[in-house]
Amino acid sequence: MAFCIRISMELLTWASLFFYSTICIGTGSTFVAGATPEALALWKSGWWNASINNVADHCSWPGITCNGAGSITEISPPNFSVGEKFGKLDFSSFPNLVRLNLSHQGLYGSIPPQIGDLTRLEHLNLSNNVLTGTLPSSLGNLTQLRMLDVSFNYINSISLKFRSLKNLVSLNLTGNNLNASTAPIIGLPTNLSHLELAGNPFDCSIPLEIWNLKSLVALDMSDCSLNGPISSNISHLTNLVSLSLANNQINGSIPSEMGNLKNLVSLDLSVNLFVGLIPSRLGQLTSLTFLDLSSNSFSGSIPPEFGELTNLTNLRISGCRLVGPLPPTLGQLTNLRYLFLYDNQINGSIPSELTNLKNLIDLDLVQNSLGGTIPSSLSLLSNLRILDLGTNSFEGSIPPNIGNLSNLEVLSLGGQIPPFLGLLSNLSNLDLNSNNLDGSILKI
């Protein structure tokens, strides 16, 4: 004998993605009337791991959270493919839903306009799926929305009027097919704190509206085919902690007003078309831990003021046509772990102050015009794993106490085979080309 029960509308709506409207239980064994093979597989896997004799049991299903009245407030299913069933969900049956997380669920096709029925929604995550088409205008009905993440899909246009989302603080559209003509970034809420647009072919200059978002903490517009210069109005974004404009075609000089962004911790302007001098005012960004200005066309030398960036752990200014000597003030960056200054025209000798950088793991000065002798005091950098000084103009012999760098894995010096080679037990890569070092070649 078997009996059937009805379940609540919320439960029914969600379960109907996999079941028909009635669930039947047989005496002695459990079965699902009219269930698809998908549903049976999910049943067997324990996704719906609850007795359904009590309608409140759906609140104990993995990925389901309810309020005190048993109404569903959060949906975040375990890892299975929702796929096309997304468009069949009756969103109006979830009047109290606050969070919907369908990331990595195999969603495809367009975003159903009915999603605008979830008027209490605060967090919506549809990232890492195969969604196409437009961001529907109906999303503008979600006036309580605080976080919208549609990253890593194939969205190519925007119908949504962002100005209606007055509570939105985080917007992530990374990795879609948006461009300036079909998806203009306009009407953004001024209280946005996180804006991530990386990996979209906007092919335009940085929208002027961006500079009005004074609450921004994080802005990522890397790899967006941006062109034109950076406006001096960037100085308005004084709350910025993280800024990435890497991998674009931004030109002109770096505005000195960027030195006003005193809260910056991470700044990445690499792989652009910047010219002119590196502004000395960047040395005022004393909260920075990461600074990457690599692959640009600067003139002049490294500003001595960079020695004030004492919180830096990662400094990269490679491939930038820099000239002049290394400023001794770099020796003040005692938290530095990575120093990449390769592929420039830096000259002079290595300042002895660099040996203060006891936390350095990677020192890369290859392909410059450095001369003089290699300082024996480099042996004090005991944490070094990579030491790359190749393709320079060093003279004399390789200091033997370099053999004390027992953590070295990569060594590029140029010249003779050093007698201490056998001491470097972790060494996996050795390059002795392109310097003017002398000494005998040893049998090893």
Side-chain angles (χ1 to χ4, degrees):
M1 178 179 178
F3 62 92
C4 299
I5 62 171
R6 290 283 174 180
I7 55 180
S8 71
M9 181 57 70
E10 285 179 318
L11 176 58
L12 174 60
T13 303
W14 183 238
S16 67
L17 293 179
F18 309 100
F19 307 134
Y20 289 150
S21 61
T22 303
I23 298 177
C24 297
I25 302 176
T27 303
S29 63
T30 301
F31 67 94
V32 182
T36 65
E38 281 180 301
L40 290 173
L42 289 166
W43 184 278
K44 291 177 182 178
S45 69
W47 199 91
W48 312 109
N49 186 21
S51 166
I52 56 171
N53 289 301
N54 185 334
V55 296
D57 283 341
H58 68 274
C59 295
S60 65
W61 293 3
I64 297 294
T65 301
C66 297
N67 60 19
S71 184
I72 295 175
T73 57
E74 298 185 23
I75 296 175
S76 183
N79 293 327
F80 63 87
S81 179
V82 173
E84 65 179 356
K85 305 175 191 71
F86 179 45
K88 299 177 181 179
L89 188 61
D90 182 2
F91 295 100
S92 63
S93 297
F94 298 93
N96 296 307
L97 196 64
V98 175
R99 290 174 179 262
L100 177 59
N101 180 6
L102 296 178
S103 178
H104 293 91
Q105 292 292 348
L107 309 183
Y108 60 88
S110 58
I111 298 174
Q114 296 84 357
I115 201 169
D117 294 338
L118 301 174
T119 54
R120 294 194 179 183
L121 205 62
E122 296 180 7
H123 294 256
L124 176 58
N125 188 347
L126 303 177
S127 64
N128 293 279
N129 286 294
V130 197
L131 295 169
T132 57
T134 186
L135 283 183
S137 58
S138 61
L139 286 173
N141 298 333
L142 308 183
T143 56
Q144 302 303 309
L145 204 62
R146 295 179 54 81
M147 188 278 284
L148 175 60
D149 188 347
V150 198
S151 59
F152 301 105
N153 281 285
Y154 295 88
I155 303 296
N156 57 24
S157 63
I158 297 176
S159 299
L160 168 65
K161 305 299 182 186
F162 288 107
R163 62 176 56 88
S164 63
L165 303 180
K166 299 185 184 303
N167 291 297
L168 194 67
V169 294
S170 179
L171 175 61
N172 191 346
L173 301 177
T174 297
N176 281 283
N177 293 325
L178 303 172
N179 62 63
S181 60
T182 62
I185 301 299
I186 57 175
L188 293 172
T190 55
N191 57 335
L192 265 184
S193 62
H194 291 74
L195 178 58
E196 299 176 69
L197 302 173
N200 286 285
F202 284 111
D203 193 20
C204 64
S205 58
I206 300 174
L208 295 178
E209 185 174 16
I210 297 293
W211 312 131
N212 296 324
L213 303 178
K214 297 180 182 180
S215 297
L216 277 183
V217 172
L219 173 61
D220 188 351
M221 295 189 73
S222 58
D223 197 21
C224 282
S225 300
L226 298 174
N227 50 57
I230 295 179
S231 168
S232 60
N233 289 330
I234 194 172
S235 62
H236 297 167
L237 306 184
T238 54
N239 289 302
L240 271 182
V241 172
S242 175
L243 172 62
S244 179
L245 299 173
N247 294 290
N248 285 294
Q249 293 90 47
I250 302 172
N251 55 33
S253 58
I254 297 175
S256 62
E257 289 83 358
M258 196 170 283
N260 293 340
L261 308 182
K262 302 293 177 60
N263 290 304
L264 272 182
V265 172
S266 176
L267 175 59
D268 191 348
L269 302 178
S270 62
V271 195
N272 276 288
L273 303 174
F274 289 114
V275 296
L277 300 176
I278 298 175
S280 60
R281 285 188 62 190
L282 293 186
Q284 299 175 10
L285 305 179
T286 53
S287 295
L288 280 178
T289 63
F290 179 92
L291 176 59
D292 193 346
L293 304 176
S294 299
S295 299
N296 282 288
S297 298
F298 299 117
S299 55
S301 56
I302 300 171
E305 291 82 359
F306 275 19
E308 301 300 316
L309 304 176
T310 53
N311 286 305
L312 274 182
T313 60
N314 202 318
L315 176 58
R316 301 169 184 248
I317 322 179
S318 303
C320 285
R321 304 183 182 180
L322 296 173
V323 297
L326 291 172
T329 54
L330 292 182
Q332 298 168 199
L333 308 181
T334 54
N335 288 303
L336 208 59
R337 294 167 62 84
Y338 301 93
L339 179 56
F340 295 164
L341 300 175
Y342 60 83
D343 193 15
N344 286 293
Q345 289 99 49
I346 299 171
N347 55 31
S349 58
I350 296 178
S352 59
E353 288 82 356
L354 287 194
T355 58
N356 294 329
L357 309 182
K358 300 296 196 298
N359 289 303
L360 265 187
I361 292 174
D362 192 337
L363 175 58
D364 195 336
L365 302 176
V366 70
Q367 293 182 333
N368 278 286
S369 300
L370 293 165
T373 59
I374 296 175
S376 61
S377 55
L378 289 180
S379 63
L380 299 175
L381 305 180
S382 57
N383 288 306
L384 273 182
R385 296 177 189 169
I386 300 175
L387 176 59
D388 198 341
L389 306 178
T391 318
N392 278 286
S393 300
F394 293 114
E395 300 175 346
S397 58
I398 299 173
N401 53 3
I402 296 295
N404 296 333
L405 298 175
S406 58
N407 290 311
L408 272 185
E409 299 171 5
V410 177
L411 175 62
S412 173
L413 295 174
Q416 86 279 22
I417 298 175
F420 55 77
L421 191 62
L423 300 177
L424 303 176
S425 58
N426 291 311
L427 201 64
S428 61
N429 191 310
L430 175 66
D431 184 352
L432 299 175
N433 282 318
S434 304
N435 267 305
N436 298 319
L437 300 168
D438 55 26
S440 59
I441 298 177
L442 303 180
K443 293 181 179 180
I444 58 174

